[in-house]
C-alpha cells in the first residue's frame, strides 16, 4: 500500500528535468506532513509554558533537506509545464511574503497538466 504512495522518482534533490503531477502531489504532501511533525515535536515545550530552548531552535536542521526536496519538485514541475526556473524563484519569494500567492501557485501545479511529449527540459515523465 505504501509503495503506491511514495513517489517512484528517486531524484529528490535535483532541479533538472521534469516531474509529473502525481509524484509531485505525493512528494509535496509528504514534505509538508514531515514539516508539520517537526514543528509539533520541536515546539511542544513552548506551548506547554516551558522555556524556549536551543533544542527548539534546531528544528530547522532536519527541515533544510525537506525544503530542498520541496523546491526541487516545484522547479521540476514548472519544467513539466514548460516554464523556466524563474517561476520557482518567484514562488520561493512569494512563500515568505505573499503566502496566498504561493498557495495558489502550488494549487496550479497540482492541477495543470504537463506538456505532452518532450519539451526543452526533457522527455515526458509519463512515457
Amino acid at each position: 500500500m505504501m509503495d503506491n504512495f511514495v513517489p517512484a522518482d528517486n531524484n529528490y534533490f535535483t532541479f533538472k528535468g521534469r516531474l509529473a503531477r502525481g509524484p509531485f502531489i505525493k512528494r509535496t504532501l509528504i514534505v509538508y506532513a514531515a514539516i508539520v511533525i517537526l514543528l509539533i515535536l520541536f515546539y511542544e515545550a513552548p506551548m506547554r509554558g516551558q522555556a524556549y530552548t536551543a533544542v527548539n531552535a534546531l528544528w530547522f536542521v532536519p527541515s533544510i533537506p525537506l525544503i530542498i526536496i520541496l523546491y526541487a519538485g516545484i522547479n521540476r514541475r514548472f519544467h513539466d509545464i514548460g516554464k523556466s526556473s524563474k517561476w520557482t524563484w518567484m514562488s520561493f519569494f512569494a512563500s515568505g511574503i505573499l503566502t496566498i500567492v504561493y498557495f495558489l501557485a502550488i494549487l496550479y501545479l497540482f492541477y495543470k497538466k504537463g506538456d505532452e511529449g518532450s519539451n526543452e527540459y526533457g522527455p515526458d515523465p509519463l512515457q
Side-chain angles (χ1 to χ4, degrees):
M1 176 84 168
M2 194 63 168
D3 292 338
N4 293 334
F5 190 73
V6 179
D9 182 354
N10 292 327
N11 299 322
Y12 293 102
F13 294 98
T14 184
F15 285 75
K16 293 182 180 185
R18 296 170 61 180
L19 186 64
R21 269 188 300 192
F24 173 72
I25 291 170
K26 292 172 188 176
R27 187 174 296 172
T28 302
L29 293 176
I30 290 169
V31 167
Y32 276 118
I35 289 172
V36 167
I37 290 168
L38 284 173
L39 286 172
I40 290 169
L41 291 174
F42 285 100
Y43 281 101
E44 181 181 338
M47 297 252 183
R48 292 185 303 195
Q50 297 175 0
Y52 187 79
T53 65
V55 173
N56 299 112
L58 291 177
W59 80 274
F60 73 90
V61 173
S63 69
I64 290 172
L66 293 173
I67 292 168
I68 293 170
I69 290 170
L70 179 67
Y71 281 100
I74 290 171
N75 194 66
R76 292 177 64 208
R77 185 70 187 112
F78 274 123
H79 285 174
D80 190 42
I81 62 173
K83 305 288 184 193
S84 74
S85 298
K86 293 175 188 175
W87 289 89
T88 304
W89 282 107
M90 288 192 303
S91 70
F92 175 75
F93 291 118
S95 69
I97 301 168
L98 302 167
T99 306
I100 190 69
V101 173
Y102 173 77
F103 178 73
L104 292 173
I106 295 297
L107 282 179
Y108 175 73
L109 293 174
F110 277 8
Y111 290 102
K112 175 71 173 151
K113 185 178 179 185
D115 293 347
E116 291 185 19
S118 295
N119 67 13
E120 64 182 294
Y121 301 105
D124 190 340
L126 298 177
Q127 293 179 351

